[in-house]
Structures are given as structure tokens and as C-alpha cells.
Amino acid sequence: MPSFAEARVDLDAISGNVSLLAERAAGALVMGVVKADGYGHGMLPAARAALAGGATWLGTAFISEALHLRAAGIDAPVLAWLVPPGEPLTEAIDAGIDIGVGSVWLVDEVLDAARQARRPARVQLKADTGLNRGGIGPVEWPDAVAALARAEAEGLVTVTGVFSHFACADDPGHPATSAQLEAFHRALDVVDKAGLRPEVRHIANSAAVLTRPDARFDLVRPGIAAYGLSPIPGLAVPGLRPAMTLSAILVGCKRALAGSGVSYGYRYVTERATNLALVPLGYGDGVPRAATNRGPVFVAGRRRTIAGTVCMDQFVVDIGEDTVSPGDRAILFGPGDHGEPTAQDWADALDTISYEIVTRIGQRVPRTYTGAVR
Ligand SMILES: Cc1ncc(COP(=O)(O)O)c(C=O)c1O
């Protein structure tokens, strides 16, 4: 689909990144994390590319996302780990989705749903080992484990996994990571003593896959690194290739006099007579308004900075004495091969993380795909 803007996604890059992570996982299985529309890359193509690269599991936040994978014919094991009240548990059980049980109230709900579905629910118990977000904490853990052990003996559930999630793995050397690993081992002991033998025990996100061999267990769950972005700002990971390139055709270019205020609020004023190029992307497309006077953009063969306020649909770039023709492209970020900024450069400029930059690219921007697996 020809369009003035596109987020081009290199699916071979995703497959290649996943195989690199599988190598790093040294025998542990890989779950490709494809929640939030595959971190903005498109959930279905990203899932297929991850599977082609050697992932054997997929991970989503919500059951609705996992059901979307099933509806598209993807039958790999899928874990959905964030289950608010009212989620379609029976449908999830029917679809063979692993339900992440990270709240005590959910245990009974899943058992009820399994009775209704008349087949065992696949359940993975989530331990809170110190993130203090989702997951069952150490106080309630023994009872939750015992309840699920009883339910498994009754044939109501199969406990397929036990997992947890790190708080500070993106800060190598942070003491919380080792403390969480110890807590995870304690949680696993309780599971073992209750007679449960889950297929997969897992805790490692991208950062841990790359820095903590002791966190591999049976499976690792990389998200951001599968999309080619380093989970640890400042840690270059040779071989990882950013999969998304965000670009737009310029609307035009015009001459402005010295002292011209540019865009809403005149937050940028030209120092001298100059050429201003107009890029048809804005916060309605996920370009943060915080990129005002900060976001890096590649236009007319050079890297520049957004001039003035990012609007809903557009922003301006001061290209000095350079010129552009209608149809020339501005590249906001990409792999960096041709001097264009990367999503990490955007994250650095905006004091955020690359996850947010790629994931927030809106639905108005068509995704186009290159690569063998579509
Ligand atoms: C439970 C869980 N596992 C794995 C991941 C993947 O994390 P990352 O993208 O840092 O690899 C996430 C992402 O937030 C997550 O919530």
C-alpha cells in the first residue's frame, strides 16, 4: 500500500534477532513476546517471524491478544499473563492458551472456568519475587500453590509453568536481580514440594537473557531484543538489528525569513533565513509531543532536530541551505545504517526507553513488511 508515511518492518531482522537470542539462551526455550501489537511492529507478522527464528512459545499480556494469535491459525503454545476480572477464561481454555495466574482471586475463577469448559485449564503460576507489580507474593504463595496442586490432582488444571519477572535487570549488577533469583528458587521449592512438575520455569526478559546466564531456567522471554533494540541503554549487542524504520514523505519545503517563529507557540525561532521542511507525522501517529525541539530526524542526507512544536499530524525541520523535493523522505528512526537515528537515539533525546518509541507508533501509520516470513 503506497502511503506518505510507513513503519517498515524487517521480519528477517526479527527472525535473526530471535535466533541470536536462542543461541544466548544456550538450550533454554525461547518465548517471543508479542504483546502490544508486537511492540508496535504488528503482532501476527512478528509472531510468525519469531517462530521462524526459533521461538517455540509466544507471550502476550492479555487473553484477547492470545486469542487473536489463535484466530490467525497460530497454534504454538501461548502464555497470556495479565488477566483483569472479566476476561474470557473459558474461551482461553478452549483455545489452549496458558493462563498466567498472578492474583489469588484468579485461582478460583480459573477453576470455575475449567469446570465450565469441561477440560483442564493450562495454568502458569506467577510468583512476585520482588517487582511488586503482578504475581502472587511469598505470603500467599504456599496456599495458591497448594490450591493448584489439588486442582491438578482433580484434573481441573495442568500447571504447565511457574514464572516471575525482574524489576531491575536493565541495570546490570543491581542487587535486586540476584535477590529476585533467590526468591524465585524459594518459590520453585514450594512448587516442587507440593508435587507439581511444571514443564517450564522462567524469569528472564531480554536484559537477563543477555546478562544473566543464571536466570535462564527452562525458557527465556525476550521482547525488546527480538525487535533489535538493546534492553540496556549503552549496551551494544553485536548482531541485533532494529526491525522498524519509521519514515514519511515530505509535504514540502519553504523559505523562511530570519526571526520566524515556527509551529504552535513559536517554540523555535529561525536564527537566519532558512529552508523549512514539513513532515506529515505527529503525536496522532505516536511521535511524542515531547520531541518538540528534541527529536532527531534524517532529512536531506543529514541528521537534524525537530524545529518547534510537534503537532497532531505534522512537524517542521529546519534544513538550513539544503533543499528537498516533494517526495523525498524523512527518516525518523531505523537501524542506523545510513546515518539515520535509531529508536534508542529517540529514547535518549526524550528521556524515555526505546520500547515506548516503537510501541506507540499509531495505527494511522501503515506497517509494511519485508523479509521471507509474512
Ligand atoms: C512478563 C513479561 N515477560 C517478558 C517481557 C519482555 O521484556 P523485554 O521486552 O524487556 O524483553 C515483558 C515485557 O514487559 C513482560 O511483561
Side-chain angles (χ1 to χ4, degrees), residues 5 35 111 123 168 172 281 296 300 309 327 345 363:
K35 64 189 173 131
L111 301 189
V123 162
C168 305
L281 283 171
T309 302
D345 293 328
Q363 288 308 311

Side-chain angles (χ1 to χ4, degrees), residues 18 165 229:
V18 170
H165 194 44
L229 297 165

Side-chain angles (χ1 to χ4, degrees), residues 33 35 39 81 126 133 165 205-206 221-224 355:
V33 177
K35 64 189 173 131
Y39 288 43
W81 53 66
K126 183 172 190 185
R133 194 179 68 174
H165 194 44
N205 56 3
S206 297
R221 298 191 310 266
I224 196 71
Y355 299 64

Side-chain angles (χ1 to χ4, degrees), residues 31 33 35 39 60-61 79 81 126 131 133 163-166 170 202-209 220-227 231 355:
M31 175 184 287
V33 177
K35 64 189 173 131
Y39 288 43
T60 65
L79 168 64
W81 53 66
K126 183 172 190 185
L131 177 59
R133 194 179 68 174
F163 70 110
S164 189
H165 194 44
F166 284 125
D170 58 336
H202 47 108
I203 189 168
N205 56 3
S206 297
V209 182
V220 296
R221 298 191 310 266
I224 196 71
Y227 302 101
Y355 299 64

Side-chain angles (χ1 to χ4, degrees), residues 57-298:
W57 281 80
L58 296 170
T60 65
F62 299 111
I63 285 174
S64 52
E65 295 173 313
L67 288 170
H68 192 53
L69 292 169
R70 286 286 184 266
I74 295 177
D75 56 11
V78 182
L79 168 64
W81 53 66
L82 180 51
V83 186
E87 283 287 271
L89 295 175
T90 317
E91 234 184 292
I93 295 167
D94 283 338
I97 290 163
D98 285 44
I99 301 170
V101 172
S103 318
V104 171
W105 64 265
L106 188 54
V107 174
D108 287 339
E109 300 275 323
V110 169
L111 301 189
D112 284 349
R115 283 184 199 102
Q116 258 180 44
R118 295 175 185 282
R119 57 184 282 191
R122 292 173 59 92
V123 162
Q124 299 211 20
L125 256 178
K126 183 172 190 185
D128 185 353
T129 53
L131 177 59
N132 287 313
R133 194 179 68 174
I136 299 174
V139 176
E140 293 164 318
W141 184 251
D143 285 350
V145 171
L148 281 171
R150 281 194 303 276
E152 186 170 271
E154 284 170 36
L156 274 178
V157 302
T158 309
V159 179
T160 53
V162 176
F163 70 110
S164 189
H165 194 44
F166 284 125
C168 305
D170 58 336
D171 182 1
H174 195 294
T177 304
S178 295
Q180 283 196 260
L181 273 174
E182 283 167 26
F184 191 47
H185 280 288
R186 286 194 294 276
L188 289 172
D189 276 350
V190 174
V191 170
D192 199 50
K193 290 200 175 98
L196 289 169
R197 298 288 175 267
E199 277 168 54
V200 285
R201 297 158 302 161
H202 47 108
I203 189 168
N205 56 3
S206 297
V209 182
L210 296 169
T211 61
R212 295 293 299 231
D214 53 345
R216 283 177 196 142
F217 295 90
D218 306 306
L219 177 148
V220 296
R221 298 191 310 266
I224 196 71
Y227 302 101
L229 297 165
S230 175
I232 302 171
L235 176 79
V237 186
L240 276 193
R241 182 160 175 78
M244 186 191 286
T245 301
L246 177 65
S247 70
I249 288 173
L250 297 162
V251 177
C253 176
K254 68 170 164 233
R255 193 76 183 153
L257 299 175
S260 302
V262 175
S263 191
Y264 291 137
Y266 287 171
R267 292 183 177 87
Y268 181 85
V269 178
T270 56
E271 278 178 11
R272 56 186 74 83
T274 190
N275 293 328
L276 298 177
L278 183 62
V279 181
L281 283 171
Y283 62 79
D285 305 295
V287 177
R289 190 168 178 277
T292 295
N293 284 333
R294 290 161 79 181
V297 195
F298 191 78

